[in-house]
Amino acid sequence: MAEANIEVQVCHALPDSSFLRSLKVPAGTTIEQALALSGLLQDIPGIDLAVNMVGIYGKKKPLDTILREHDRVEVYRPLQADPKEARRRRAGGKPAKG
């Protein structure tokens, strides 16, 4: 019997553009394999999987996670500002020591 294919999406958002690609991959495909198959790493060469976190639907996952039908693989950008510090600035609070 032939191995079943599953449908997944790979996405990455940039400030001025986004990448979203739907793929049919063999069951048992990992996040890392789906990223390679999607062409994301070729289309956006600045992505370093040793630095950029990845996840499925907003939850961080390791690259060897096995995908399931309809998963959306996301590659996250590094934070530009510490969320706690940004909130303090908006609230007019004192900067954190450290």
Side-chain angles (χ1 to χ4, degrees), residues 22-82:
S22 294
L23 306 167
K24 285 203 178 269
V25 297
T29 298
T30 64
I31 289 176
E32 187 171 22
Q33 292 167 332
L35 291 171
L37 291 169
S38 73
L40 172 69
L41 302 176
Q42 291 77 28
D43 289 358
I44 306 174
I47 295 175
D48 179 358
L49 295 179
V51 175
N52 293 82
M53 300 298 288
V54 298
I56 298 173
Y57 289 116
K59 295 188 181 195
K60 289 189 240 178
K61 301 285 182 180
L63 289 171
D64 62 353
T65 300
I66 303 292
L67 296 174
R68 295 183 295 183
E69 181 78 19
H70 302 299
D71 276 349
R72 184 181 67 218
V73 176
E74 303 164 337
V75 179
Y76 308 118
R77 292 181 287 136
L79 294 175
Q80 297 297 312
D82 176 23

